[in-house]
């Protein structure tokens, strides 16, 4: 990539040219700002829609100064990059313009002139004044939060005036946000997003021929909520949402499994077994279900042993105490 796949800031020298490496690179790049302040070179094409204004983006990036081997800024060392909202979390004007030109999965290289980067003053001590910088950006995913936020701010009556597909789209976006937060182990925040999605779907009445679309969407959210409450160590709520999912699909293996896990945490071993056996019936070779059944058997044996020991202690003669027939 440029001079080096690992160090795109270091480009091949050309002793026969008076131009700098970035100047040479800029000649084959696309002008996306209209004044050559932001130039773009696509390394790998993406797919789908362009990033929407006010979207929240998931990106990997590295920023380089000319002639420097290592990036002065990068988030590539993070296992899971942070979700960033355009207009709030991204401070470089050039990066925001660049992202608006990208599609999911795209990898691109950008040159940002000072006006679109760190300005005339730079950012001492790392960035000198009036510096053009190179950024490599990979767009992993993005979520259009603006549409969802505006819709959720409406009253139930106002929301009811929109077509069903709009409601389903917003609910799906809320669920996607919840999934992202869940993967970040931010379970409380994920729960809030899932509940927003569930409320939207609960409010909506659909004609009989479209009701299955609402029920399918509700099922996914209910399964997410059940799993999230397990992570929050609130098995009673996990069981509640799992049972609601079973009302929609009584043979859903995930719902049966979540209910079984919840009952196991609540030490309701017989109910846990009933749910897990039903789940196993639907998916006999599911490793997680079979593992949970083995765990249940172990817990139940320990429980029976403890009960037996307690009975022995209750009815055994006390040390030094009177026995039958003694005065």
């Amino acid at each position: 990539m440029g001079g080096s796949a690992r160090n795109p800031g270091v480009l091949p020298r050309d002793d026969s040219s008076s131009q700098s490496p970035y100047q040479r690179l800029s000649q084959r790049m696309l002008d996306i700002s209209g004044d050559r302040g932001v130039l773009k070179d696509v390394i790998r094409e993406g797919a789908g829609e362009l990033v929407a204004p006010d979207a929240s983006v998931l990106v990997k990036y590295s920023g380089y100064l000319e002639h420097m081997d290592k990036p002065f800024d990068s988030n590539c060392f993070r296992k899971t990059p942070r979700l960033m909202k355009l207009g709030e979390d991204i401070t470089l004007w050039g990066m925001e313009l660049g992202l608006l030109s990208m599609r999911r999965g795209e990898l691109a290289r950008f040159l940002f002139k000072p006006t679109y980067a760190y300005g005339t003053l730079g950012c001492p001590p790392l960035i000198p004044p009036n510096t053009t910088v190179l950024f490599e950006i990979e767009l992993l995913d993005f979520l259009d939060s603006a549409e969802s936020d505006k819709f959720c701010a409406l009253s139930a009556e106002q929301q009811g005036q929109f077509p069903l597909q709009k409601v389903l789209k917003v609910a799906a976006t809320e669920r996607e946000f919840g999934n992202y937060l869940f993967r970040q182990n931010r379970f409380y925040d994920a729960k809030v997003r899932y509940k927003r999605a569930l409320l939207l779907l609960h409010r909506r009445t659909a004609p009989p021929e479209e009701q299955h679309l609402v029920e399918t969407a509700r099922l996914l959210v209910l399964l997410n909520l059940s799993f999230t409450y397990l992570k929050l160590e609130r098995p009673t709520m996990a069981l509640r949402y799992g049972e609601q999912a079973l009302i929609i699909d009584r043979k859903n293996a995930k719902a049966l499994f979540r209910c079984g896990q919840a009952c196991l945490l609540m030490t309701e071993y017989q109910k846990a077994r009933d749910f897990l056996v039903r789940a196993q019936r639907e998916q006999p070779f599911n490793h997680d279900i079979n593992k949970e059944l083995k765990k249940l058997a172990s817990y139940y044996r320990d429980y029976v042993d403890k009960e037996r020991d307690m009975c022995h202690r209750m009815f055994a003669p006390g040390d030094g105490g009177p026995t039958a027939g003694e005065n």
Side-chain angles (χ1 to χ4, degrees), residues 114 161 184 192:
Q161 296 173 4
Q184 294 278 314
V192 172

Side-chain angles (χ1 to χ4, degrees), residues 275-287:
F275 280 121
L276 291 172
V277 168
R278 287 170 61 191
Q280 187 186 52
R281 195 177 298 138
E282 300 304 321
Q283 295 186 6
F285 304 107
N286 185 294
H287 173 75

Side-chain angles (χ1 to χ4, degrees), residues 215-216 218-224 226 241-260 275-283 286 289:
E215 294 297 279
T216 299
R218 285 185 67 241
L219 177 62
L220 294 174
V221 178
L222 289 168
L223 291 172
N224 289 141
S226 183
Y241 285 110
E243 288 179 328
Q244 288 183 31
L246 289 172
I247 294 173
I248 299 173
D249 180 3
R250 64 186 182 87
K251 292 187 176 183
N252 187 280
K254 280 189 177 180
L256 292 166
F257 180 54
R258 300 295 178 224
C259 289
F275 280 121
L276 291 172
V277 168
R278 287 170 61 191
Q280 187 186 52
R281 195 177 298 138
E282 300 304 321
Q283 295 186 6
N286 185 294
I289 294 172

Side-chain angles (χ1 to χ4, degrees), residues 160-172:
Q161 296 173 4
F162 286 86
L164 176 62
Q165 290 302 322
K166 172 75 171 182
V167 178
L168 293 174
K169 180 181 178 183
V170 173

Side-chain angles (χ1 to χ4, degrees), residues 317-323 326:
D319 293 340
T323 59
E326 287 187 346

